[in-house]
Amino acid sequence: MFEIIVMLCEKFPGVTPISIRQEKAGEVFLMLERYVEYLLHKENEENGVNLSKSEKMYKRGDRIIVERPAKNWY
């Protein structure tokens, strides 16, 4: 957990370890989730992959899986 706090403090200079400890855990995880989404989005742009907001890309081993919402269930 300490590595995560250090990473967040390095990325966001206005945040300190003490201020993170005073926040609700849900808020910290939300900030971490958004930061990870930003990193994935940035990596996709660098690799030339265009995904919409509703699509998600996962890496499992050597495979790349793109998850798209269903257009019609019937």
Side-chain angles (χ1 to χ4, degrees):
M1 185 71 167
F2 183 73
E3 292 89 7
I4 294 171
I5 291 173
V6 170
M7 180 194 64
L8 289 174
C9 291
E10 288 175 352
K11 182 62 184 171
F12 305 104
V15 177
T16 64
I18 295 171
S19 67
I20 289 177
R21 284 191 213 117
Q22 292 174 348
E23 288 292 329
K24 294 179 182 177
E27 295 295 325
V28 175
F29 285 118
L30 183 61
M31 182 170 57
L32 183 61
E33 179 184 10
R34 289 178 178 168
Y35 179 60
V36 169
E37 286 177 4
Y38 166 75
L39 290 177
L40 290 174
H41 180 70
K42 187 176 175 183
E43 181 182 346
N44 290 341
E45 284 182 347
E46 291 173 357
N47 294 333
V49 178
N50 292 327
L51 295 176
S52 68
K53 292 271 186 184
S54 60
E55 297 175 338
K56 295 181 181 178
M57 185 168 81
Y58 302 97
K59 290 183 181 179
R60 293 203 176 127
D62 295 335
R63 300 183 314 158
I64 296 175
I65 300 169
V66 176
E67 183 181 286
R68 294 184 175 95
K71 292 183 180 179
N72 190 353
W73 288 93
Y74 301 101

